[in-house]
């Protein structure tokens, strides 16, 4: 198995963070679930949507200083870990035990992403309009693999706006 160049980002792709944000912010009452979903939606319009969502959440909690602190806090550890672990990755992948561990981390990350999507889906896919948006979005994503995700988000937004008018 070849190590992807962006191996660090494959472990949950950042969307794993939403499970932690839900547990730490929504379950404790710091944010509502709607505020978290709004942060995710806002983040989808920017590069690095998950990390941009954290900036938005920081702003919701404590204004500009919250946005600045949360942005630094979300990006700095990744830079440090990548700088420290990148030289070791080839050795880690060449070890049978550690390679199996890294594969297990990938699988666990996918499971967390599925769980988060399921929980968010239960709260947001509630009527025929949202079901239609999901179905159309899924058809586009799975049939046009090279489409830029920004177009899917914009299309979903436009479709939601049109359906809301009906």
């Amino acid at each position: 198995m070849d190590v992807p160049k962006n191996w660090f980002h494959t472990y949950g792709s950042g969307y794993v963070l939403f499970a932690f944000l839900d547990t730490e912010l929504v379950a404790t009452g710091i944010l509502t679930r709607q505020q978290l979903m709004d942060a995710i939606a806002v983040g989808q319009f920017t590069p690095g949507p998950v990390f941009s969502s954290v900036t938005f959440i920081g702003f919701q909690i404590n204004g500009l200083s919250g946005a600045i602190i949360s942005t630094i806090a979300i990006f700095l550890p990744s830079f440090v870990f990548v700088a420290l672990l990148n030289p070791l990755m080839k050795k880690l992948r060449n070890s049978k035990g550690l390679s199996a561990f890294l594969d297990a981390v990938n699988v666990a990350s996918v499971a967390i992403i599925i769980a988060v999507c399921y929980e968010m889906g239960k709260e947001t896919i509630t009527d025929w309009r949202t079901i239609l948006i999901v179905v159309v979005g899924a058809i586009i994503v799975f049939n046009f693999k090279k489409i830029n995700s920004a177009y899917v988000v914009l299309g979903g937004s436009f479709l939601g706006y049109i359906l809301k008018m009906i």
Side-chain angles (χ1 to χ4, degrees):
M1 173 190 240
D2 291 310
V3 179
K5 288 183 181 174
N6 61 347
W7 69 271
F8 195 73
H9 300 288
T10 61
Y11 295 133
S13 141
Y15 285 98
V16 169
L17 290 175
F18 287 129
F20 300 115
L21 293 173
D22 186 66
T23 301
E24 295 299 321
L25 300 175
V26 175
T28 60
I30 295 171
L31 286 179
T32 65
R33 175 79 36 78
Q34 185 61 50
Q35 287 174 312
L36 178 61
M37 289 188 288
D38 289 346
I40 294 166
V42 167
Q44 293 304 309
F45 287 101
T46 62
V50 176
F51 298 117
S52 299
S53 296
V54 171
T55 300
F56 184 77
I57 290 168
F59 184 81
Q60 286 181 315
I61 293 173
N62 202 37
L64 183 59
S65 63
I68 292 168
I69 291 168
S70 63
T71 301
I72 292 169
I74 198 72
F75 282 106
L76 187 60
S78 295
F79 287 119
V80 171
F81 284 130
V82 168
L84 294 175
L85 294 177
N86 192 38
L88 301 173
M89 276 314 294
K90 189 164 181 105
K91 291 178 185 174
L92 293 175
R93 273 292 176 186
N94 287 335
S95 164
K96 273 193 173 222
L98 290 175
S99 183
F101 170 77
L102 293 173
D103 290 343
V105 170
N106 272 333
V107 171
S109 297
V110 170
I112 291 171
I113 291 169
I114 290 169
V116 168
C117 289
Y118 175 75
E119 288 301 317
M120 288 174 44
K122 283 192 324 188
E123 293 195 25
T124 57
I125 305 169
T126 56
D127 61 7
W128 70 270
R129 291 173 180 93
T130 53
I131 292 169
L132 181 62
I133 293 168
V134 168
V135 170
V136 169
I139 289 169
I140 290 169
V141 167
F142 290 113
N143 286 315
F144 303 97
K145 302 218 185 274
K146 295 192 183 232
I147 191 168
N148 187 316
S149 60
Y151 294 130
V152 177
V153 172
L154 288 172
S157 300
F158 180 72
L159 182 57
Y161 177 77
I162 297 296
L163 291 174
K164 189 72 169 175
M165 296 300 165
I166 296 176

